[in-house]
Amino acid sequence: MATISFSSPAAASPRSSISSPSVCFSHNASTLSFHSLPKSSPIFTSVTLRPINRTKPRLLNVSVFVANKLSETDSVSVPSEQGAIDAVFPKASGVYAVYDSNGDLQFIGISRNLAASVLSHKISLPDLCSSVKFDVVDDPDKTALTQSWRSWIEEHIAVTGKVPPGNDSGNTTWIHQQPKKKKTDLRLTPGRRVQLTVPLEDLIDRLVKENKVVAFIKGSRNAPLCGFSQRVVAILESQGVDYESIDVLDEEHNNGLRETLKRYSNWPTFPQVFVNGELVGGCDILMSMYEKGEIASLLKS
C-alpha cells in the first residue's frame, strides 16, 4: 500500500531565496511527498537597447514684412481723369495714404487692389484725394498688411500727435465711405437646363424698362472682373443710386446674354448701362458724364 508522508527540507540558509510550495513525485513512485522546491534562477531574454533619436525641433520660417517709412515714400498725384488711375497705381496689395490738395494727410488704409481703392476715394471724395503715397506688399497676408498700416499710423502719430482724420472713429466723412452690404446680381433664368418660355431678348427688354438703372457688367457688383466694369460700379455706388446689375459672364444663369444683348442694344462692348429703358453707353461715356457733372442729373431724371 502506498504511503503518504509529509516532509520538509532542511532549513534554508538566510541567503537562500524563498521558494514557492509545489507538488512532485519522488524517485520512489509509491511515495507522494509535499515539499518545497528550490526556486529556479530567473531567465533574462536578450534585449537590444536602441538610442533615442533626439532630433532638433524644426523651426518655422516666419517672414516679417517691413514697410518703407511713410516720410520716405514718394507722393503720387491722382489724375483728374479717372480712367488714367489704373495706369498710375498698381492693381496690387499694399498700404496707402491719401492727401488733400493742401498736402494734409487724410487717411491711411490697406487694400488688395490699390488702383481700385484710389479710384473709389477719388470718386466719392474728390476734394480730399489729391495725391497718394503707397507701398506694395509682396505675397501679402492679413498680418503683413496690418503691420504695414500700423507702422505708418504710428509714424504719423509720433510726428503730429494725432491720428489722420479719416482714421478717427469720430470722423463721419470717411466712416460713411465704409462699404455697405450690396444688392445681389440679377439672374435672367433659373439655369441653362431650364427651357425658356419667353425669348431672351424679351426678358432683356422687360428688365431695362421695369427698372430705372440697369448695368450689364463683367463679373458681379461685389467683384467686377474688368477695369471698365469696376469704374461703372464705382460711379453708380458713389451716386447712391438704386440700380440692378447682371453678370454677362454668368453662362449658367445668363446663357447667351452677351450676343443677344449686343443685338438688342446695337452696342458691341461691355459694360452697358441703361437708364429709364434707354442705353446710355459704356464706361467711357459714363466717365465723361461724371467728370462733366452730368451723371447726377441723369440718374435723378
Side-chain angles (χ1 to χ4, degrees):
M1 182 177 67
T3 60
I4 299 176
S5 62
F6 295 87
S7 61
S8 60
S13 63
R15 294 184 179 181
S16 62
S17 59
I18 300 175
S19 60
S20 302
S22 60
V23 179
C24 69
F25 287 96
S26 65
H27 291 292
N28 185 354
S30 61
T31 303
L32 180 64
S33 62
F34 291 83
H35 62 86
S36 297
L37 295 177
K39 186 176 182 180
S40 59
S41 301
I43 299 175
F44 293 93
T45 58
S46 175
V47 178
T48 302
L49 299 179
R50 296 179 179 177
I52 298 176
N53 184 16
R54 299 183 181 276
T55 58
K56 294 182 179 180
R58 187 174 61 180
L59 299 178
L60 297 177
N61 293 325
V62 179
S63 58
V64 178
F65 177 82
V66 179
N68 294 324
K69 288 186 177 182
L70 176 62
S71 58
E72 298 176 356
T73 303
D74 294 332
S75 179
V76 179
S77 297
V78 179
S80 56
E81 295 184 1
Q82 296 165 12
I85 288 179
D86 284 348
V88 177
F89 296 94
K91 297 179 180 179
S93 299
V95 59
Y96 66 98
V98 183
Y99 293 80
D100 62 17
S101 57
N102 295 323
D104 295 328
L105 178 60
Q106 294 295 320
F107 178 73
I108 296 177
I110 55 178
S111 174
R112 295 288 184 181
N113 187 329
L114 291 168
S117 295
V118 173
L119 174 63
S120 176
H121 293 313
K122 186 63 176 178
I123 291 175
S124 58
L125 297 170
D127 296 334
L128 299 180
C129 185
S130 179
S131 62
V132 171
K133 292 184 177 183
F134 67 90
D135 190 22
V136 174
V137 179
D138 296 325
D139 298 326
D141 57 17
K142 186 176 181 180
T143 300
L145 289 171
T146 303
Q147 287 175 344
S148 303
W149 174 84
R150 189 182 301 277
S151 67
W152 278 21
I153 287 285
E154 291 176 348
E155 181 183 348
H156 178 73
I157 293 175
V159 174
T160 64
K162 56 184 179 181
V163 299
N167 298 103
D168 188 351
S169 59
N171 188 292
T172 58
T173 302
W174 289 81
I175 291 178
H176 286 166
Q177 306 309 315
Q178 296 297 323
K180 58 183 179 181
K181 187 176 181 180
K182 298 180 180 180
K183 294 173 62 176
T184 57
D185 302 285
L186 292 182
R187 294 172 174 177
L188 293 182
T189 72
R192 64 192 310 167
R193 293 181 177 84
V194 177
Q195 183 68 34
L196 295 179
T197 58
V198 178
L200 187 57
E201 189 166 337
D202 290 350
L203 293 178
I204 296 173
D205 185 67
R206 183 186 305 174
L207 175 65
V208 299
K209 289 180 178 178
E210 292 181 355
N211 297 276
K212 183 175 180 61
V213 182
V214 179
F216 294 91
I217 60 177
K218 291 183 178 180
S220 67
R221 67 170 70 197
N222 292 313
L225 295 181
C226 75
F228 300 112
S229 296
Q230 186 180 63
R231 294 189 190 101
V232 165
V233 169
I235 291 174
L236 295 177
E237 291 288 334
S238 71
Q239 300 301 305
V241 64
D242 183 25
Y243 69 98
E244 303 296 341
S245 58
I246 300 92
D247 180 6
V248 298
L249 300 180
D250 184 359
E251 289 295 331
E252 176 60 31
H253 301 94
N254 302 322
N255 186 34
L257 175 59
R258 278 175 289 176
E259 295 305 318
T260 305
L261 183 59
K262 288 178 183 179
R263 294 194 300 269
Y264 176 84
S265 63
N266 196 27
W267 193 268
T269 59
F270 301 99
Q272 295 185 19
V273 178
F274 288 77
V275 178
N276 296 324
E278 299 293 333
L279 175 66
V280 175
C283 177
D284 291 341
I285 293 178
L286 213 65
M287 289 285 293
S288 176
M289 295 182 67
Y290 176 82
E291 292 170 354
K292 294 177 181 178
E294 300 172 351
I295 193 70
S297 58
L298 171 68
L299 297 176
K300 293 178 181 178
S301 61

